[in-house]
Amino acid sequence: MKFIKLTKIFGLSVLLAFTACKKYGYEIEDGYPDDSQNTAEGTIDTNMKVIDKSMYAKARVFPGLVDQAEPRVKDAQFTLDLNFTDQTAQNLRISVAPSPQYSTGYYAAPGELIKIIVPAGIEGLVVQIGAHTDNLAGKFPLLRDPVVYSRKQLVSGVNYVRNLYGGHIYILASFAYPNPITFTISGAVVSPDFILGKSNDAEWVAQVKASQVPWLELRAKSVIFTIPRDKVMATFNSSEPFTNPTAVFTRWNDVFDLDYNAWMGLSENAADIRDRAPQSQWRGILDIQLSVGYGHSGFPFVGLNDAYWFASFTSLKSITTSSGQWGTYHEFGHNCQQGSIWSWSSLGETTNNLFSFKVANRIGANYNILHPAVSSGFPEAVAYASAAGAKNFDTDAFMTDKDKGPFRKMTPFVQILEKYGYGAMTHLYIEARHAPRLNSNDITKHNFVYEKLSDYTQTDLGPFFDAWGILTSIAVRDKVAAKYPQLNTQLWTYNPLNKTGGTAVIVPQIFSVSSNQSTEGSPANMLDGNTATYWHSQYSPAPSAAQSYPFNIVLNQGNRVSAKGMYFFPRNSTAQRPKDIEVFVSNDNSNFVSVGTAQIPNAFARYEFLFPAGAVNAQYYRVVLKNSWTANNTLASLSEMGIIK
């Protein structure tokens, strides 16, 4: 029976650790799959003095060895409170949520056997050795072995586990226990961890200096960072010594409590589990090689083990100014994206960065220092939104530029947050968590953001979405327009960097013309109130057939307005005066309906065309100039045009 039970334990260990039991009679967790088909025989060697040094050379490279002089504990005890609510990514509708992974404060030396005694009646626990869970399989060249952590199911009573690379020791829980649980451990060493609220800064510094453990943890209520001890030691003689973890991690708690959890509308004691903040800490870790990128999201999120990422974890100056924090906020932001509800496909590298602006706004930091591309990307985006003509936020080359595109796409979100308050994002996150269904395509996600932000602002933001070229459905536009007054200012011209603009009243614009002579006349001249100026169709170089009659002119009123007709004022020149016209109206600049035909008199005078069926309510008015008063003339010109309210 004992042999059968051990065999079952071995099998479960294989599944959990991505490793295999080999013929040696004990677990050899070396990060590689076992294709030998050998069957484990006998029992695990429980001699605590036996050290498997077969991976010492690789463990020395990463994550490092533990000096034999470092004391190994015997029958030490640690207590964990496992009374948690497992807040899942599905509940929160975010990409990644922290899972119940509990730090023990102990570290396993490479190849050394660890004994853990679990109290009777305790089940559903797994021990993990190693914090570095990034799997580098397929990477070349490898700077470390692809898998350097292991997991094993724990049972009540005595458990033995070893990892040939060593690492921090964690307990993973699959369900909660109402009362704290005390474990007994032997063979491990004490990790020089800092625990906010328990550790003393000076004592911690002394502990780090005295330790020979290669990695340590910095632990706070909401976040845990795993960093190399040698980098901490190096700071002690630098211009910014890391001797103040209490101050740094008090700030980190603020960031996660106020700028991540609270901003997403999450609290610890929310009645609805969907609004409950994760009870497990978010984790970040440094590694010498990543499975992808310079940093990537996940649990834990991973950054390259260099000076930049280390400072982003530990520098008080960095976290109090937001300078140098882009990477950490960026990756944690990826974890918090709600891609299944509203963060549509072209916002993958955009909405995650909004958390950087939330932190900066709270602490009064200058947005320009967040990232070099912000200072140019925002003004460029404002110019894009302010320009007339057809736009598509998701596909235009200007907005999809590899380097600046994500920053330009942040601009409309920051404009809303700056002008209506950062609570707009809280509203969006809460509504997304409580939405009755997921959104499967980009247009429904556009609609969701448009409708929910309009609800928050109590304003129909349709003109704002139009200016940015964020397409929305006509049915949703009608629904929102029936509830709220339309936006009446050019919000899209607001520059969040210098807090200017965005206050001008929305005015009509010539959205498009099918032909224009760039050197003579401008479409905007038809709206300037001056009959001496005019628009002229192209004549040089010679226009193509598509640039001759019929000409199409689309007038965008900026929002939906009721009009009983349109007026026209021909140019003070008989040669290019249009004759027969037809007017179409639309609310989405796509589906147009004819409201009548007319003939503009051949005179330098205002002509008013009243729609035969009465007033219409529309945003876009398309005028089709069908022909000219002058025979065989292919050119057209107009001085003024507009709607009659």
Side-chain angles (χ1 to χ4, degrees):
M1 289 296 293
K2 183 176 181 180
F3 179 79
I4 294 174
K5 185 175 182 180
L6 285 170
T7 303
K8 290 181 178 178
I9 293 173
F10 290 163
L12 184 56
S13 178
V14 169
L15 293 175
L16 291 171
F18 304 100
T19 61
C21 298
K22 302 183 182 179
K23 64 182 180 181
Y24 309 108
Y26 55 86
E27 294 166 85
I28 301 294
E29 292 136 339
D30 58 8
Y32 293 97
D34 177 26
D35 296 322
S36 69
Q37 305 301 314
N38 291 325
T39 302
E41 297 176 355
T43 60
I44 294 176
D45 186 346
T46 59
N47 185 348
M48 299 290 290
K49 295 182 179 180
V50 174
I51 302 174
D52 188 325
K53 300 181 180 180
S54 60
M55 286 292 168
Y56 258 31
K58 293 185 176 181
R60 187 188 304 275
V61 173
F62 190 86
L65 301 180
V66 178
D67 195 284
Q68 288 298 313
E70 190 73 25
R72 272 60 171 173
V73 300
K74 183 177 181 181
D75 295 329
Q77 292 187 330
F78 63 92
T79 301
L80 299 178
D81 181 1
L82 304 183
N83 189 20
F84 65 93
T85 298
D86 189 10
Q87 186 58 293
T88 66
Q90 288 75 19
N91 280 342
L92 300 177
R93 288 181 169 170
I94 60 177
S95 300
V96 177
S99 59
Q101 175 178 328
Y102 292 87
S103 299
T104 65
Y106 291 98
Y107 193 96
E112 297 189 21
L113 198 62
I114 306 298
K115 181 172 75 172
I116 300 176
I117 301 176
V118 179
I122 302 301
E123 300 174 341
L125 301 181
V126 169
V127 60
Q128 174 179 311
I129 297 182
H132 296 87
T133 56
D134 206 11
N135 189 334
L136 305 186
K139 298 288 289 187
F140 181 82
L142 281 170
L143 302 183
R144 67 161 173 85
D145 274 357
V147 178
V148 294
Y149 77 103
S150 59
R151 290 175 179 167
K152 179 180 179 181
Q153 190 79 32
L154 291 174
V155 296
S156 296
V158 179
N159 300 264
Y160 292 93
V161 61
R162 78 170 83 230
N163 183 302
L164 298 186
Y165 305 90
H168 279 102
I169 301 172
Y170 304 98
I171 301 297
L172 313 182
S174 56
F175 48 82
Y177 284 91
N179 299 313
I181 298 172
T182 298
F183 301 82
T184 303
I185 188 168
S186 298
V189 297
V190 175
S191 175
D193 298 347
F194 172 83
I195 306 174
L196 184 64
K198 294 183 179 180
S199 300
N200 172 276
D201 285 357
E203 293 175 356
W204 174 76
V205 169
Q207 184 184 11
V208 171
K209 291 180 177 180
S211 176
Q212 296 299 318
V213 178
W215 291 80
L216 58 91
E217 291 193 331
L218 306 169
R219 293 191 254 159
K221 179 174 68 74
S222 300
V223 64
I224 295 176
F225 290 134
T226 305
I227 59 175
R229 174 182 165 274
D230 60 357
K231 275 190 164 52
V232 177
M233 292 289 291
T235 70
F236 292 158
N237 296 316
S238 70
S239 59
E240 189 181 1
F242 182 44
T243 56
N244 54 351
T246 296
V248 173
F249 279 81
T250 297
R251 295 279 188 163
W252 270 116
N253 262 353
D254 289 343
V255 167
F256 278 94
D257 288 347
L258 303 175
D259 305 315
Y260 283 81
N261 289 340
W263 199 35
M264 293 188 289
L266 303 173
S267 60
E268 291 183 2
N269 300 311
D272 192 319
I273 191 173
R274 291 173 294 182
D275 299 323
R276 199 170 300 166
Q279 294 179 325
S280 300
Q281 293 104 327
W282 294 93
R283 290 179 177 268
I285 193 169
L286 303 181
D287 203 332
I288 62 170
Q289 188 174 17
L290 280 62
S291 59
V292 61
Y294 181 49
H296 67 72
S297 58
F299 184 75
F301 113 72
V302 188
L304 192 65
N305 186 21
D306 64 9
Y308 169 81
W309 285 105
F310 179 81
S312 75
F313 286 3
T314 62
S315 168
L316 183 62
K317 177 182 177 182
S318 178
I319 197 169
T320 53
T321 62
S322 282
S323 175
Q325 289 301 109
W326 188 268
T328 46
Y329 296 160
H330 173 100
E331 300 301 349
F332 281 126
H334 270 310
N335 287 346
C336 295
Q337 285 176 299
Q338 291 184 314
S340 63
I341 301 293
W342 65 269
S343 185
W344 58 86
S345 61
S346 73
L347 298 178
E349 294 298 326
T350 295
T351 52
N352 59 315
N353 291 313
L354 297 177
F355 292 91
S356 295
F357 293 92
K358 172 60 173 68
V359 180
N361 177 265
R362 177 176 60 82
I363 67 177
N366 188 331
Y367 292 164
N368 280 300
I369 69 173
L370 294 178
H371 192 283
V374 170
S375 59
S376 58
F378 275 31
E380 292 167 353
V382 169
Y384 165 86
S386 301
K391 284 170 279 193
N392 190 305
F393 183 87
D394 295 326
T395 61
D396 286 350
F398 178 83
M399 296 300 283
T400 58
D401 178 81
K402 180 178 180 295
D403 297 320
K404 286 191 176 183
F407 299 90
R408 292 166 178 163
K409 288 181 178 179
M410 294 172 209
T411 312
F413 292 96
V414 179
Q415 287 175 329
I416 292 290
L417 299 175
E418 286 283 304
K419 298 298 283 187
Y420 288 101
Y422 275 74
M425 190 61 68
T426 308
H427 179 77
L428 194 57
Y429 265 88
I430 293 173
E431 289 294 309
R433 287 197 301 275
H434 291 260
R437 67 180 188 280
L438 304 181
N439 290 322
S440 59
N441 57 63
D442 280 354
I443 194 65
T444 58
K445 295 174 185 179
H446 291 184
N447 289 338
F448 186 89
V449 175
Y450 161 59
E451 183 175 2
K452 299 309 176 183
L453 290 183
S454 293
D455 287 341
Y456 180 79
T457 62
Q458 297 289 288
T459 303
D460 179 0
L461 296 174
F464 179 78
F465 279 71
D466 288 339
W468 281 104
I470 302 174
L471 307 180
T472 51
S473 299
I474 191 64
V476 178
R477 292 293 291 267
D478 289 341
K479 176 183 176 182
V480 173
K483 293 194 293 183
Y484 308 116
Q486 282 202 327
L487 179 72
N488 57 14
T489 57
Q490 298 179 39
L491 175 61
W492 55 89
T493 65
Y494 174 73
N495 185 342
L497 301 182
N498 57 22
K499 317 296 185 186
T500 61
T503 59
V505 175
I506 292 176
V507 295
Q509 291 182 312
I510 299 299
F511 187 80
S512 64
V513 292
S514 58
S515 176
N516 179 57
Q517 182 62 40
S518 59
T519 59
E520 182 182 358
S522 165
N525 289 342
M526 290 185 284
L527 304 178
D528 65 1
N530 182 359
T531 57
T533 61
Y534 54 87
W535 155 78
H536 202 297
S537 65
Q538 180 178 320
Y539 57 82
S540 179
S544 64
Q547 294 169 315
S548 301
Y549 283 104
F551 294 106
N552 286 269
I553 303 172
V554 178
L555 172 65
N556 179 9
Q557 285 295 128
N559 53 32
R560 298 185 184 194
V561 295
S562 179
K564 60 183 180 181
M566 293 191 70
Y567 67 86
F568 303 91
F569 208 114
R571 178 187 174 192
N572 190 15
S573 172
T574 60
Q576 292 88 35
R577 288 178 183 169
K579 180 181 179 184
D580 296 311
I581 67 169
E582 186 169 4
V583 177
F584 298 80
V585 296
S586 171
N587 278 317
D588 61 2
N589 196 33
S590 177
N591 299 291
F592 283 87
V593 176
S594 175
V595 292
T597 59
Q599 190 175 88
I600 301 176
N602 187 11
F604 182 58
R606 176 182 170 116
Y607 166 68
E608 294 188 352
F609 166 48
L610 300 182
F611 301 144
V616 298
N617 188 284
Q619 179 172 343
Y620 297 94
Y621 293 77
R622 185 174 75 195
V623 179
V624 179
L625 309 180
K626 297 182 176 181
N627 50 39
S628 171
W629 281 101
T630 303
N632 301 318
N633 178 48
T634 61
L635 303 177
S637 183
L638 271 179
S639 287
E640 294 292 315
M641 65 177 287
I643 65 168
I644 302 171
K645 295 184 179 180

